[in-house]
Amino acid sequence: TEAELAILAMEKRTWKYSGAKERAVRAELGMPGTEYYMRLNRLIDDERAIRAEPALMRRLREHRDG
């Protein structure tokens, strides 16, 4: 979906300052951080997202799984 693509695009960005990502999530995507991270966590295991962004999804899974 458009929202899922926006979440993937947000994850590709780099953040210079603490809290900048959370502010951008709210301002650009119009959702609270908790919703963003819940949706991101579901996307990490979604085959469509893995096919679209394999390197990003691999990095995010490694970060999530420790």
Side-chain angles (χ1 to χ4, degrees), residues 1-59:
T1 67
E2 193 173 314
E4 291 169 334
L5 291 173
I7 290 170
L8 295 179
M10 186 75 63
E11 284 302 309
K12 287 196 248 181
R13 293 168 58 180
T14 56
W15 305 97
K16 189 172 183 178
Y17 301 106
S18 176
K21 180 179 180 181
E22 288 72 18
R23 285 190 297 278
V25 165
R26 185 170 295 280
E28 296 174 28
L29 304 181
M31 66 178 76
T34 53
E35 179 183 346
Y36 174 84
Y37 286 109
M38 286 172 45
R39 292 177 77 167
L40 175 62
N41 199 44
R42 284 193 303 267
L43 273 176
I44 290 172
D45 296 318
D46 187 313
E47 287 299 320
R48 296 172 302 137
I50 293 169
R51 281 194 305 274
E53 296 287 347
L56 175 63
M57 294 297 102
R58 184 173 36 256
R59 178 177 61 82

